[in-house]
Amino acid sequence: MRLQFYNTLAHQKEEFVPLRPNQVGMYTCGPTVYDYPSIGNMRAYVFADTLRRVLEFNGYKVKMVMNITDVGHLESDGDEGEDKMALTAQRERKSPWEIARFYANVFLQDMERLNIKKPSVLAWATEHIAEMIAMVQELLERGYAYETSDGIYFDISKYPEYGRLAGQKLEDRLAGARVEVNEEKRHPADFALWKKAPKEHIMQWPSPWGMGYPGWHIECSAMGRKYLGDLFDIHTGGADHIPVHHENEIAQTAACTGQPAARYWMHNEFLLIDGGKMSKSLGNVYTISDLMERGFEPLSYRYFCHNAHYRRQLNFTWAALEAAQKGLLSLRRLVQGSAKQPTGAGAAERAASFREDFLAAINDDLNLPKAIAVLWEASKANLGRELYELAREWDQVLALDLCTGAVEEDGPLAREDLPPEVRALVEERDAARAEKNWTKSDALRQQLQEMGYVVKDTPQGTEIKRA
Ligand code: AMP
Ligand code: ZN
C-alpha cells in the first residue's frame, strides 16, 4: 500500500520511495546527555520509533542510527554560552564522561520502558571526533568555511539554498540576524564547525587548528554520513531543530556532497505542559520516572502520544494521562479477553476490512489517532478471537503490550448490579455465615465461582467480583 509522509524539506506530503528497494536508512537526532530526559524529549523518540515500526510493518528493513550528544551542544542552539555537558559536570562535580554515561543510561532505560526499539547504531559524538575533523577540513578545502581566532565557521553566504528547510530566504536570514558578539564572523548567522578551546575548557581534542572541540551540528552530519552514506532516506528530530540544527546540518553535508543528507526530513511537534512550555523554573519538567512515581505505567504515556498526530502540539495534563491509562487498560482487557473466545460469525471478513483501515491510517503520514480509533472499533465489533489476532499484529506498530500487559481490574460489584439468581445465592451465603455454617457458605462460594464470580470476605464485608 502507498506510504506517504510529510516532508519538511518539500513543505508537503509526499509518497515515500526509498533509495534502495526494501531498505531504509534513517537518522534520528539523539539526546544531549546532560540532564534527565523529559517526557517532551521522549515524545520525539516515541515518534521516531513509531516511524521505524511503520516502515518495518510495510516490509522494509530499517537501519536506524541515533547519536548521543556528549560534547559541543552549547547553551543556545547557536554558538553562544557554555557547553551543556561542561556546565552539568561543574555543578555535579563529576567528569563530563561520568555525566554522559549516567544520563545516557537513564535515557536508554526510559526508551526500554516505552518499548522504543534500540537503534541499529548508537553513535557517541566523542567517539567520532576524527570524522568531524575530516569533514571540517573538507569544508575548508571547498571554500565553505573560514578560520577565526576562536574557531572554524561555516560561511552561509556560500550556500545559496540555506534556509530551504525552514522556508526562510537567505537574504532575509542575512539581513535579519541579531547583532553578533563575535566580530570576526563574516555574517552573524555563520555557525561554528569547530571551537578552539581555552586551556581550562573541560573537553578538548588535538586538531589541525590546535586543541578544541566540535560544534554540535557537525556531529550529526559526520555521523550520519559515516553510517548511512552521503544521501540516506529519512532524518528525524523535534520541530525546534528545523531552523538551526537541521538547516545547518543540511548546509554542511550538501557543501561536501551536493546532497541534503536525507531525502525526507520529518519533525515532531512539541509536547506542552498545562498548555505552556516545560521549564525548570516552573517545576514542570516531568520524566518517565515521575509518571511512574505517581502510579502510571510508562506505556500509558506512549498511548497518550498515539492519540495526537505527531505534527500537532500535544498538551500534557495529569488528567489526560489518567484518561489515557484507563483507555489503555480497558483496551487490553478487551483484547486479552478475546483470546479464548471463538471467532465471531463473519469475523474474518470484518477483520480484513479493519486491517485495511489500520494500514491506510498508519501509512497516511502516521495517522496514529486514526489507527487507535480503528482498534477501538474492532474491539467492539464482536470479532471474538480475531480481535486478539488483530491486536497482536498491530502491536508491532503500537507497541502497547496489548496482548501481555496489565489489564484494568474490575472493582467489586454492588449487590443491586448482580443478576437476581447470583444475588439470591450471595444473600443465602450471608445468612449461612451469620449462622456460622461454614460448610454451607463454602459450598455457596464454590457455586458462585462456577458461575464466574469471585467471593472474598474482607473486614469491610463480602466482596463480589467477576472472575
Ligand atoms: P535535546 O536533548 O535537547 O537535543 O532534545 C532531544 C530531542 O527532544 C530533540 O529531537 C528535540 O527536538 C526534542 N524535544 C525537546 N523538547 C521537546 C518537547 N517539549 N516536545 C517534543 N520534543 C521535544
Ligand atoms: Zn542532530
Side-chain angles (χ1 to χ4, degrees):
M1 190 184 277
R2 202 173 131 97
L3 185 53
Q4 302 191 87
F5 298 136
Y6 183 87
N7 184 357
T8 312
L9 192 58
H11 306 286
Q12 62 183 13
K13 250 196 226 177
E14 289 185 334
E15 179 164 3
F16 176 69
V17 183
L19 286 161
R20 274 161 297 166
N22 309 322
Q23 282 183 42
V24 176
M26 170 176 166
Y27 186 95
T28 292
C29 279
T32 306
V33 284
Y34 69 107
D35 206 342
Y36 290 97
S38 70
I39 54 173
N41 296 138
M42 297 318 288
R43 184 183 189 198
Y45 303 109
V46 165
F47 153 64
D49 182 63
T50 306
L51 171 60
R52 172 193 186 163
R53 287 169 177 274
V54 166
L55 290 160
E56 288 173 347
F57 197 76
N58 278 270
Y60 292 109
K61 193 170 179 328
V62 179
K63 178 171 178 183
M64 182 182 188
V65 179
M66 187 194 287
N67 63 292
I68 297 277
T69 296
D70 53 355
V71 64
H73 193 169
L74 304 187
E75 283 169 272
S76 92
D77 280 2
D79 300 318
E80 288 126 55
E82 250 287 23
D83 187 313
K84 293 182 178 186
M85 297 299 303
L87 280 176
T88 307
Q90 281 154 18
R91 194 181 64 237
E92 298 192 13
R93 294 173 195 275
K94 293 199 178 110
S95 79
W97 314 99
E98 286 172 286
I99 298 291
R101 281 280 151 207
F102 176 80
Y103 289 111
N105 281 338
V106 175
F107 172 69
L108 295 175
Q109 186 185 36
D110 281 354
M111 293 230 298
E112 224 175 286
R113 287 165 164 173
L114 291 169
N115 273 351
I116 296 173
K117 288 190 185 183
K118 283 215 170 67
S120 327
V121 177
L122 196 64
W124 294 71
T126 51
E127 288 171 7
H128 297 81
I129 303 291
E131 287 84 349
M132 296 171 203
I133 291 176
M135 200 157 175
V136 177
Q137 265 178 317
E138 197 176 340
L139 289 166
L140 278 166
E141 281 157 22
R142 288 174 178 268
Y144 285 97
Y146 58 92
E147 185 169 355
T148 71
S149 61
D150 80 337
I152 313 291
Y153 287 85
F154 188 93
D155 184 342
I156 66 161
S157 68
K158 296 275 167 59
Y159 181 64
E161 289 204 51
Y162 192 89
R164 188 178 148 202
L165 187 71
Q168 279 181 306
K169 287 206 182 89
L170 179 62
E171 307 88 83
D172 296 345
R173 188 75 180 234
L174 290 171
R178 292 156 299 175
V179 180
E180 181 54 48
V181 275
N182 182 346
E183 287 181 351
E184 286 182 76
K185 276 177 24 176
R186 291 185 189 160
H187 182 272
D190 290 352
F191 56 91
L193 299 166
W194 185 263
K195 290 278 240 184
K196 297 178 184 173
K199 263 208 169 55
E200 67 282 5
H201 197 271
I202 204 158
M203 292 170 114
Q204 43 183 297
W205 291 263
S207 79
W209 319 285
M211 294 301 285
Y213 58 97
W216 172 38
H217 320 298
I218 198 74
E219 299 179 2
C220 288
S221 280
M223 293 188 282
R225 205 173 164 199
K226 171 168 178 173
Y227 293 106
L228 295 167
D230 284 355
L231 184 66
F232 49 89
D233 295 295
I234 304 176
H235 195 308
T236 77
D240 58 324
H241 285 349
I242 299 172
V244 180
H245 184 51
H246 287 171
E247 201 74 77
N248 293 351
E249 212 186 307
I250 290 175
Q252 295 162 153
T253 301
C256 291
T257 66
Q259 316 261 28
R263 291 168 90 191
Y264 301 86
W265 286 76
M266 295 175 67
H267 297 94
N268 64 277
E269 254 308 333
F270 259 41
L271 179 84
L272 305 177
I273 308 272
D274 296 323
K277 258 190 120 166
M278 274 187 283
S279 94
K280 285 227 164 98
S281 57
L282 294 173
N284 64 5
V285 186
Y286 303 125
T287 63
I288 296 298
S289 296
D290 292 334
L291 307 194
M292 291 170 75
E293 269 167 35
R294 294 215 194 182
F296 289 98
E297 186 193 323
L299 291 181
S300 300
Y301 179 67
R302 188 171 180 122
Y303 180 75
F304 171 74
C305 290
H306 286 343
N307 279 286
H309 192 266
Y310 76 91
R311 284 198 302 115
R312 295 212 176 272
Q313 289 188 338
L314 172 58
N315 188 32
F316 176 90
T317 62
W318 291 105
L321 187 64
E322 180 94 50
Q325 173 135 310
K326 265 199 144 147
L328 174 62
L329 297 190
S330 46
L331 255 181
R332 282 185 184 155
R333 193 155 69 92
L334 292 166
V335 166
Q336 294 175 21
S338 73
K340 291 197 187 91
Q341 291 169 6
T343 301
E349 295 75 43
R350 276 177 298 136
S353 144
F354 284 127
R355 267 193 190 91
E356 261 178 42
D357 295 346
F358 182 86
L359 189 62
I362 59 170
N363 282 10
D364 179 14
D365 194 28
L366 268 57
N367 193 341
L368 268 289
K370 180 89 185 286
I372 294 285
V374 174
L375 173 57
W376 273 109
E377 244 187 275
S379 74
K380 292 175 181 155
N382 285 325
L383 297 177
R385 161 106 199 157
E386 279 291 334
L387 171 63
Y388 186 81
E389 296 302 334
L390 287 178
R392 197 162 55 178
E393 273 171 51
W394 297 347
D395 217 28
Q396 292 169 48
V397 172
L398 304 173
L400 296 170
D401 290 357
L402 291 172
C403 298
T404 53
V407 297
E408 178 193 52
E409 246 201 61
D410 274 327
L413 296 163
R415 301 272 156 115
E416 49 284 7
D417 293 341
L418 294 170
E421 67 281 12
V422 178
R423 189 170 169 181
L425 289 175
V426 171
E427 282 166 1
E428 204 182 322
R429 185 170 176 276
D430 288 343
R433 278 173 59 76
E435 290 162 13
K436 300 198 185 332
N437 185 345
W438 308 123
T439 319
K440 186 168 179 196
S441 99
D442 279 350
L444 285 162
R445 181 209 295 271
Q446 185 64 33
Q447 204 178 335
L448 283 160
Q449 194 160 340
E450 279 155 20
M451 294 168 80
Y453 293 87
V454 178
V455 180
K456 204 165 138 198
D457 298 310
T458 73
Q460 289 78 38
T462 302
E463 264 185 21
I464 317 288
K465 288 183 175 180
R466 273 205 189 82

